[in-house]
Amino acid sequence: DSSKRLRFTALPQILCLHIKRFKAGSTPANAQKSDQAVTFPLRGLDLSGFLGEAAGGAPLLYDLCALVQHTGRIDSGHYFCYILHHGNWYR
């Protein structure tokens, strides 16, 4: 297993994250889709810990407003987009 750690000097007002959900193989054909769950809050995701001293102790809060989900295998499947609009989620 491996992990990656990032630190930022500033964050934008609107943030787009791409979480890569694949395990590398010795060749691209040996890659696998990860089934490990990713959890995060729908409201109040605090990213101030990724700014270190630059945050000045103030929380940097983000609310989820859209999500793209892949279902299927690594080499096939479908993408679904979920959008929050006026308090309702749409697919």
Side-chain angles (χ1 to χ4, degrees):
D1 287 335
S2 64
S3 63
K4 185 185 283 189
R5 182 170 177 98
L6 298 173
R7 288 230 181 252
F8 300 99
T9 56
L11 289 172
Q13 183 178 359
I14 298 173
L15 180 68
C16 178
L17 298 175
H18 179 184
I19 302 171
K20 296 194 177 198
R21 309 264 301 135
F22 302 98
K23 297 177 185 177
S26 56
T27 66
N30 292 340
Q32 295 178 332
K33 184 176 176 183
S34 172
D35 60 357
Q36 182 177 355
V38 175
T39 60
F40 50 88
L42 298 179
R43 297 191 180 279
L45 176 63
D46 186 2
L47 295 181
S48 59
F50 292 94
L51 284 179
E53 309 250 339
L60 293 166
L61 303 177
Y62 289 89
D63 295 338
L64 185 68
C65 63
L67 174 78
V68 176
Q69 176 191 24
H70 178 264
T71 61
R73 300 182 329 211
I74 192 169
D75 60 346
S76 66
H78 297 280
Y79 285 93
F80 295 97
C81 182
Y82 300 87
I83 304 290
L84 179 64
H85 181 67
H86 296 293
N88 295 310
W89 284 96
Y90 296 92
R91 177 172 136 175

